[in-house]
């Protein structure tokens, strides 16, 4: 069987697809917290556990951004890359560095998806678990089934993506659209990145300021890495551009959001 951790290298590029049945909605958190619950919590003041869920953002499902789900299948109906699920161990940030000048971010996500699924990368699907555009909107990445929240199955395990060669299983891949080599992320994208990282860290009991002794459950490969890091922490690459040097402050912002 082909595993993403034997083929999943990338410096940060991606693309299009009939999608999952998740409707478009404003997400308070990746855990699906309801807006009414957040409003009630705000009335009595946020607790540390609720802090990471305080600010809403918009999450677009694969259907919303136009994912053509047929791209995930061969002509004989075989799924090109059957999903695998593992507990989350770490969170990794990327920039897509896709070179696109298309003003429509959904079109850019579709292009990345197409290249990843059936292009030269041959990942069977989009490599990232989440993507964030310049306006701070989140896009559901790799297909994870219909019985859990985006990127997860019903048991809360992460669907394995293809974003860090050799270290994909249990490693959440979050990519900001665009090339950030010589410029910072937009304020909106950065704010959403912090919220998403805080939600995922809270959900999976990850210390945003700590390190993890990552162990690949497929290959057994191990590595000590930041609990929240950039692609460059795992490979010889300039990805995620300026976000690499911003990582210490990002971690501090995530920790602050989690503790209120």
């Amino acid at each position: 069987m082909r595993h993403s951790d034997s083929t999943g290298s990338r410096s940060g590029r991606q693309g299009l697809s009939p999608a999952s049945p998740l409707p478009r909605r404003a997400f308070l958190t990746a855990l699906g917290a309801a807006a009414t619950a957040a409003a009630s919590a705000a009335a009595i003041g946020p607790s540390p556990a609720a802090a990471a869920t305080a600010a809403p953002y918009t999450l677009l499902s694969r259907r919303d951004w136009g994912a053509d789900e047929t791209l995930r299948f061969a002509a004989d109906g075989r799924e090109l890359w059957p999903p695998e699920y593992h507990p989350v161990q770490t969170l990794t940030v990327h920039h897509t560095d896709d070179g696109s000048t298309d003003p429509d971010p959904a079109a850019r996500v579709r292009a990345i998806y197409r290249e990843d699924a059936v292009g030269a990368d041959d990942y069977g699907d989009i490599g990232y678990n989440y993507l964030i555009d310049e306006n701070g909107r989140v896009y559901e990445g790799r297909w994870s089934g219909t019985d859990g929240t985006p990127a997860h199955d019903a048991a809360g395990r992460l669907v394995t993506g293809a974003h860090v060669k050799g270290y994909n299983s249990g490693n959440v891949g979050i990519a900001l659209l665009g090339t950030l080599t010589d410029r910072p992320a937009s304020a909106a994208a950065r704010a959403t990145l912090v919220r998403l990282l805080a939600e995922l860290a809270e959900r999976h009991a990850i210390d945003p300021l700590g390190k993890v002794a990552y162990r690949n459950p497929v290959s057994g490969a191990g590595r000590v890495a930041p609990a929240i890091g950039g692609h460059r922490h795992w490979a010889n690459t300039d990805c995620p551009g300026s976000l690499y040097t911003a990582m210490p402050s990002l971690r501090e912002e995530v920790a602050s959001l989690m503790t209120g």
Side-chain angles (χ1 to χ4, degrees):
M1 176 186 293
R2 180 176 68 165
H3 293 287
S4 63
D5 282 324
S6 63
T7 61
S9 175
R10 68 179 313 116
S11 61
R13 296 179 45 190
Q14 275 94 292
L16 190 145
S17 160
S20 75
L22 296 174
R24 178 175 183 172
R25 58 200 182 277
F27 247 55
L28 283 176
T29 75
L31 311 182
T36 52
S40 297
I44 59 174
S47 66
T53 70
Y57 57 79
T58 298
L59 184 143
L60 282 72
S61 71
R62 289 172 64 93
R63 174 179 290 172
D64 293 333
W65 56 259
D68 176 3
E69 300 298 355
T70 64
L71 297 181
R72 297 190 293 107
F73 297 89
D76 61 3
R78 207 174 21 86
E79 195 163 15
L80 295 173
W81 196 320
E84 298 178 12
Y85 304 90
H86 299 281
V88 170
Q89 300 180 53
T90 187
L91 313 173
T92 300
V93 177
H94 302 259
H95 67 160
T96 59
D97 194 18
D98 54 297
S100 175
T101 58
D102 196 314
D104 179 5
R108 289 154 64 191
V109 173
R110 291 194 296 269
I112 292 167
Y113 169 43
R114 179 175 290 278
E115 176 64 21
D116 283 5
V118 297
D121 289 334
D122 193 30
Y123 297 157
D125 196 348
I126 196 165
Y128 305 122
N129 298 110
Y130 302 91
L131 301 95
I132 300 173
D133 71 18
E134 291 89 341
N135 296 310
R137 291 170 296 202
V138 179
Y139 298 74
E140 178 184 13
R142 179 163 289 246
W143 188 84
S144 60
T146 60
D147 55 354
T149 56
H152 300 79
D153 66 5
R157 300 176 303 169
L158 176 74
V159 66
T160 301
H163 58 100
V164 177
K165 184 176 183 179
Y167 304 104
N168 287 297
S169 301
N171 188 344
V172 180
I174 304 171
L176 273 64
L177 288 179
T179 301
L180 303 178
T181 305
D182 300 315
R183 63 181 177 87
S186 71
R190 179 181 172 122
T192 292
L193 174 63
V194 169
R195 292 168 190 153
L196 180 57
L197 288 169
E199 291 162 6
L200 291 167
E202 185 174 284
R203 175 175 186 172
H204 298 290
I206 289 173
D207 175 4
L209 303 178
K211 291 183 178 292
V212 295
Y214 173 87
R215 177 69 60 182
N216 189 312
V218 176
S219 68
R223 188 182 185 116
V224 176
I228 295 177
H231 190 178
R232 190 171 165 183
H233 288 103
W234 299 87
N236 183 18
T237 174
D238 65 2
C239 179
S242 62
L243 287 170
Y244 179 77
T245 55
M247 203 58 62
S249 60
L250 283 169
R251 295 188 193 106
E252 292 287 351
E253 291 172 43
V254 170
S256 178
L257 187 59
M258 291 175 68
T259 59

